[in-house]
Amino acid sequence: MTNTKHIYYLLLYIPYALSLLIQLSPHSSYLVAWLGSFFIFFICYKGVIKKLPDDLPIIEQLLRPIFFLQIVFAGYMACTSIFYYANALGYEYLTYIGNRNLLSGDIYQSIANCQRYYVLGHAALAHGLIAGMKGQQEKRYQIYAPSMSNLLLGISSFCLPLGYLFSKVGALNQFSVQLSGLSFVAGAIALSFAIQENKRVNLWASGGLFAVNMLFALSSGFKEPIIICILLLGIFLLPVYGKKVLPVLFSVLLVLFFVLPTFIGNFRKMVSEGTDATTARNESINRIINSANLVEDLQEDNWMFLTDRLSEIGMFIRYTESTPYFVPFYKTTLLKDAFQTVIPRFFWPGKPNVEQLVMNRVYAAGVVDRQAIVSAKPAYVVDCYLSYGAIGIWIGLFLYGYLAQFLSNLAEKMFGGYFLGSAVMFAGLFQILWRGNSLEFLFNAVFWSIVTLFIFQFIFKTRGILYRV
């Protein structure tokens, strides 16, 4: 991986440049920018700019940022807009039904404009990821674990109750998200290793933990934790069962994508009306099972999900229409606010409410009304745009990719290689990087995840799990 062809980095920006050249034709510009993300994936995975890590077979290193993080982050950011675009053209799935809503005259120009920003962001993200990749690193630590499923089961069992306990203690609440995420990832991987090692006790224990994590995910009101649970299990079963896992994995994910929008919609509605999470979860499942028009309801809810919630380009358009024309660029304001978030409220009782800081720019852009009881936090790429426009997107996404790769490298150096480093610690503590978030929430989570990373290394060394080579 040492022979980097630096001039080849320009290949990543070809889709953005082409889409800019034909911007007077919004449909063509949109499609070039949208297809450009697949071109960027191709460039990355063919190793055109820099050779991919070869210390492990590709199938055994999928949780490195160049693979999983890029696919999830860039796929969600840049590829899901196709449903919004199809809806704007008057299609529902593959059927033309005409436009139900009044569209502004330049809607296609607005969609193409935002898609150009997306493909620029994807190119910068890939640039950062590739630039951050290192060659074979010298191993400083070695793992001592006679049974990997025992180790993972222990990590998950330790972190799950501790994360819950910390969430109830104000001064320690900061670590609850990190511990819960680590328990969630370790539990999913423990189940795959228990299957591989054919240990019945571990299989039942890790299966129980996986079920508990799934129940928590179903009660979270979000789709991502549920999908990630299944994805992680599938990724770690791939080396064991090979490509036989893929049809099952894709089938399960397809069912989830089809059913979850209706489930989450019912769940959130009942919770907003005062129903407790457990009752809302069970009732939402019952409504789907007992629905008289199940297929029709699922199809309608799923199309609304694909066009309005899976893709955030509709909200991005609102931001680009207001900034910088009515609301000036925020410049370094968001970064300054992000630095403040890392200070625990225990030490700063007057610390500004982070949710309110973020929502202020949502209200300023007119994305949602101040009276609405809803959280519509801008995505990371939007915050980059709101700071400095296109140049903000390029700088922000390059640093995002480089930081993600740096943290993965750091975790592998600290925890003896890919498995415990990237697959467990990086994936468990830095899950927020998979999807991204508003700058303030992202900065806070990454900072405290780094602190947690060093705490766990200290614990593992004192327990003899890690020893210096």
Side-chain angles (χ1 to χ4, degrees):
M1 268 195 315
T2 56
N3 296 324
T4 306
K5 306 177 182 70
H6 294 286
I7 191 68
Y8 284 12
Y9 280 119
L10 294 177
L11 291 172
L12 298 169
Y13 298 94
I14 288 176
Y16 176 66
L18 287 177
S19 63
L20 268 181
L21 286 174
I22 58 173
Q23 61 182 301
L24 294 180
S25 175
H27 295 286
S28 299
S29 183
Y30 168 80
L31 290 172
V32 167
W34 184 74
L35 290 169
S37 280
F38 297 95
F39 173 77
I40 292 169
F41 284 130
F42 175 80
I43 290 294
C44 289
Y45 299 136
K46 287 297 287 184
V48 173
I49 301 170
K50 186 184 284 187
K51 187 180 176 183
L52 293 171
D54 58 2
D55 56 328
L56 293 168
I58 296 296
I59 203 171
E60 294 180 23
Q61 54 170 312
L62 293 177
L63 285 173
R64 279 184 169 142
I66 193 67
F67 299 108
F68 193 78
L69 183 147
Q70 184 188 188
I71 290 170
V72 173
F73 185 94
Y76 176 78
M77 174 184 71
C79 300
T80 57
S81 64
I82 192 67
F83 301 108
Y84 187 91
Y85 175 68
N87 191 62
L89 290 173
Y91 283 87
E92 183 171 312
Y93 296 104
L94 298 177
T95 305
Y96 181 77
I97 61 171
N99 294 115
R100 295 178 178 180
N101 303 314
L102 181 65
L103 300 174
S104 61
D106 61 350
I107 183 64
Y108 302 117
Q109 195 65 262
S110 297
I111 295 173
N113 182 45
C114 288
Q115 192 64 35
R116 288 193 292 272
Y117 286 136
Y118 281 152
V119 79
L120 172 63
H122 185 183
L125 173 77
H127 189 166
L129 288 169
I130 295 170
M133 286 197 301
K134 305 293 183 184
Q136 187 73 32
Q137 298 186 73
E138 181 185 355
K139 272 198 173 185
R140 296 187 179 181
Y141 293 95
Q142 190 73 36
I143 307 171
Y144 175 74
S147 168
M148 197 55 69
S149 64
N150 283 352
L151 173 62
L152 293 166
L153 196 56
I155 293 172
S156 185
S157 302
F158 172 75
C159 291
L160 185 63
L162 198 61
Y164 177 79
L165 179 65
F166 280 13
S167 69
K168 305 300 180 183
V169 181
L172 298 173
N173 183 58
Q174 197 65 57
F175 294 100
S176 65
V177 174
Q178 281 74 20
L179 290 169
S180 299
L182 191 54
S183 171
F184 163 73
V185 168
I189 304 173
L191 179 57
S192 68
F193 267 89
I195 295 171
Q196 182 178 348
E197 294 177 0
N198 198 26
K199 290 187 173 183
R200 183 169 296 182
V201 174
N202 286 26
L203 182 62
W204 280 105
S206 55
L209 270 172
F210 186 80
V212 169
N213 279 321
M214 281 293 288
L215 286 173
F216 280 143
L218 286 168
S219 302
S220 69
F222 297 98
K223 298 167 287 295
E224 292 82 2
I226 304 166
I227 294 170
I228 293 298
C229 255
I230 302 300
L231 266 176
L232 283 175
L233 182 61
I235 284 172
F236 276 91
L237 286 176
L238 269 172
V240 183
Y241 295 104
K243 295 180 180 179
K244 292 182 289 185
V245 172
L246 292 177
V248 178
L249 180 61
F250 288 144
S251 299
V252 172
L253 289 175
L254 188 63
V255 170
L256 286 176
F257 269 104
F258 200 60
V259 172
L260 281 178
T262 300
F263 169 81
I264 295 297
N266 290 336
F267 177 87
R268 289 180 177 176
K269 182 180 179 183
M270 283 187 279
V271 169
S272 67
E273 293 171 351
T275 308
D276 68 271
T278 303
T279 304
R281 179 194 66 209
N282 296 337
E283 184 59 31
S284 297
I285 294 172
N286 289 334
R287 285 188 184 184
I288 291 173
I289 294 173
N290 299 319
S291 174
N293 303 301
L294 179 61
V295 175
E296 292 83 357
D297 291 344
L298 290 177
Q299 282 183 329
E300 184 174 350
D301 289 343
N302 199 54
W303 186 247
M304 289 178 62
F305 161 70
L306 292 173
T307 56
D308 293 334
R309 298 194 297 279
L310 179 64
S311 170
E312 295 186 348
I313 195 170
M315 286 196 292
F316 195 8
I317 289 170
R318 300 289 293 274
Y319 287 109
T320 58
E321 289 174 343
S322 63
T323 299
Y325 311 106
F326 304 105
V327 180
F329 286 125
Y330 289 84
K331 298 186 178 178
T332 59
T333 300
L334 305 187
L335 192 58
K336 291 174 183 175
D337 290 343
F339 273 103
Q340 293 181 10
T341 64
V342 303
I343 305 172
R345 195 172 296 279
F346 179 79
F347 298 110
W348 184 12
K351 176 181 172 180
N353 183 285
V354 181
E355 179 83 15
Q356 190 59 49
L357 280 175
V358 174
M359 290 302 293
N360 281 339
R361 55 186 179 274
V362 179
Y363 300 139
V367 175
V368 297
D369 188 82
R370 288 184 180 273
Q371 306 304 317
I373 307 175
V374 64
S375 177
K377 295 185 287 293
Y380 178 75
V381 66
V382 174
D383 276 349
C384 292
Y385 169 81
L386 292 176
S387 296
Y388 283 103
I391 190 66
I393 290 176
W394 184 81
I395 294 172
L397 269 297
F398 173 83
L399 292 176
Y400 191 99
Y402 193 87
L403 174 66
Q405 187 59 56
F406 170 81
L407 291 171
S408 176
N409 294 342
L410 177 65
E412 291 191 17
K413 186 183 296 184
M414 292 172 61
F415 290 89
Y418 165 77
F419 179 73
L420 197 57
S422 282
V424 178
M425 302 308 297
F426 176 78
L429 296 176
F430 298 95
Q431 283 179 42
I432 194 169
L433 292 174
W434 292 346
R435 268 283 310 275
N437 207 317
S438 301
L439 186 59
E440 294 91 338
F441 287 101
L442 193 66
F443 197 93
N444 177 273
V446 169
F447 177 85
W448 288 106
S449 292
I450 293 172
V451 173
T452 309
L453 191 71
F454 281 92
I455 291 173
F456 267 91
Q457 191 203 36
F458 175 77
I459 293 172
F460 284 4
K461 285 195 295 186
T462 57
R463 298 291 298 174
I465 298 169
L466 280 176
Y467 63 91
R468 204 163 182 89
V469 177

